């Protein structure tokens, strides 16, 4: 269970769970805070809220089961049904049929698509959820796209791809192809400061590539500044300039193991 192995200190996760209610909008969760209070229908936000609460054993009672089950009744597509099944699994409300449906179509998709510049983040979340559902041994070796790195966004996607090395069928080829970007990961982390325009996704991906013990001082300071938005103090913003916190970025930070205690 590679992608679900990391965990933040209990105090960090507890503080996050304490503030999840601020993301609640009616019977669902907004993916961001602040929000306008209007009803939302985002099952991925429900999953991230459930996963964050579950990290400290508090998902049951916090996540509206009925709202998630309504998504299941709407005959969702493959990506959405995986979020539904994983959320219900966390809440101990899932059935074998929906888990099998979610796993079956996702495994086919992974085998056909592999890891590409466009889907690396989605692949990572899919792998996390498959592992949660008990399908880790069924995940096929994934072919990584060896794309040309032309800009900063491409470099970020290269880091995301290399972070998935344990799943890649062409791992050695990918590491050779992205050798320059791998070597740049450490330099990037050393350059992060409260004056930089780094994104949380970049910091997490680079940290997973270099696999250091502990963060550079600049990253520690930066994480302290990117944490919190208004009344919400424990969750994370995607960048220093972002106006609000997101459930997805907070989950990404928590699972990466880079967040402070």
């Amino acid at each position: 269970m590679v992608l679900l192995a990391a965990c933040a200190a209990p105090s960090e996760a507890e503080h996050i769970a304490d503030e999840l209610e601020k993301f609640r909008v009616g019977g669902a969760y907004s993916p961001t805070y602040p929000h306008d209070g209007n009803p939302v229908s985002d099952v991925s936000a429900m999953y991230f809220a459930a996963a964050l609460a579950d990290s400290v054993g508090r998902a049951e009672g916090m996540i509206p089961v009925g709202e998630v089950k309504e998504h299941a009744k709407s005959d969702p597509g493959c990506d959405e049904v995986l979020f539904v099944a994983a959320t219900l699994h966390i809440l101990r409300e899932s059935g074998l049929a929906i888990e099998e449906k979610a796993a079956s179509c996702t495994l086919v998709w992974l085998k056909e698509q592999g890891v590409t510049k466009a889907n690396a983040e989605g692949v990572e979340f899919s792998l996390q959820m498959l592992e949660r559902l008990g399908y880790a041994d069924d995940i096929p070796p994934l072919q990584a796209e060896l794309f040309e790195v032309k800009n900063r966004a491409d470099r970020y996607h290269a880091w995301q791809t290399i972070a998935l090395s344990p799943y890649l069928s062409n791992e050695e080829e990918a590491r050779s192809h992205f050798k320059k970007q791998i070597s740049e990961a450490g330099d990037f982390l050393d350059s992060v400061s409260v004056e930089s325009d780094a994104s949380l996704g970049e910091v997490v991906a680079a940290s997973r590539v270099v696999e250091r013990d502990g963060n550079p001082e600049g990253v520690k300071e930066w994480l302290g500044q990117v944490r919190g938005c208004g009344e919400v103090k424990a969750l994370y913003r995607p960048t220093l300039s972002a106006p609000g916190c997101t459930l997805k970025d907070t989950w990404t930070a928590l699972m990466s193991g880079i967040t402070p205690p």
Side-chain angles (χ1 to χ4, degrees):
M1 291 178 57
V2 175
L3 291 176
L4 289 177
C7 188
S11 58
E12 169 92 349
E14 286 284 1
H15 291 319
I16 289 170
D18 288 341
E19 295 189 323
L20 285 177
E21 192 64 26
K22 292 186 174 70
F23 286 76
R24 187 81 171 258
V25 182
Y29 278 82
S30 168
T32 62
Y33 181 90
H35 52 74
D36 59 14
N38 290 322
V40 293
S41 179
D42 187 335
V43 73
S44 67
M46 300 284 272
Y47 169 74
F48 293 126
L52 287 165
D54 186 57
S55 67
V56 287
R58 292 169 55 181
E60 294 181 69
M62 289 187 67
I63 310 300
V65 177
E67 183 76 16
V68 184
K69 287 185 174 179
E70 284 300 313
H71 283 278
K73 294 177 182 177
S74 65
D75 193 26
C78 187
D79 55 346
E80 189 172 5
V81 78
L82 183 60
F83 279 112
V84 170
T87 305
L88 291 175
H89 185 85
I90 290 171
L91 301 174
R92 297 177 174 82
E93 293 281 349
S94 188
L96 184 60
I98 192 170
E99 291 189 5
E100 288 182 340
K101 177 181 179 180
S104 176
C105 68
T106 304
L107 290 167
V108 169
W109 174 78
L110 287 170
K111 185 175 182 180
E112 292 177 348
Q113 298 294 319
V115 181
T116 70
K117 180 170 67 172
N119 73 12
E121 180 180 76
V123 167
E124 178 171 349
F125 289 136
S126 295
L127 295 175
Q128 287 181 11
M129 289 184 279
L130 285 171
E131 291 178 351
R132 189 183 291 277
L133 294 175
Y135 286 87
D137 292 341
D138 298 298
I139 296 171
L142 307 178
Q143 182 79 12
E145 176 191 6
L146 306 180
F147 52 87
E148 184 179 356
V149 178
K150 299 179 180 179
N151 51 43
R152 176 176 170 179
D154 290 345
R155 183 183 67 176
Y156 170 40
H157 296 312
W159 289 341
Q160 289 179 311
T161 299
I162 294 302
L164 295 172
S165 285
Y167 299 91
L168 302 181
S169 62
N170 58 337
E171 178 184 358
E172 290 187 11
E173 186 181 10
R175 285 188 170 276
S176 176
H177 181 80
F178 296 122
K179 182 178 180 179
K180 181 173 184 254
Q181 287 71 50
I182 293 172
S183 68
E184 289 175 344
D187 293 337
F188 166 78
L189 291 173
D190 289 336
S191 74
V192 173
S193 72
V194 293
E195 284 80 37
S196 67
D197 64 346
S199 73
L200 186 58
E202 287 177 309
V203 173
V204 168
S207 296
R208 292 179 62 198
V209 168
V210 300
E211 297 180 347
R212 288 178 173 178
D213 291 329
N215 297 320
E217 288 303 315
V219 171
K220 292 178 182 178
E221 188 177 1
W222 183 88
L223 285 170
Q225 293 295 315
V226 84
R227 187 183 189 191
C229 45
E231 295 181 351
V232 170
K233 305 300 182 185
L235 282 82
Y236 288 83
R237 291 173 286 131
T239 65
L240 287 175
S241 61
C245 300
T246 77
L247 295 174
K248 183 184 78 171
D249 285 287
T250 301
W251 174 245
T252 299
L254 190 75
M255 289 309 300
S256 70
I258 68 168
T259 54

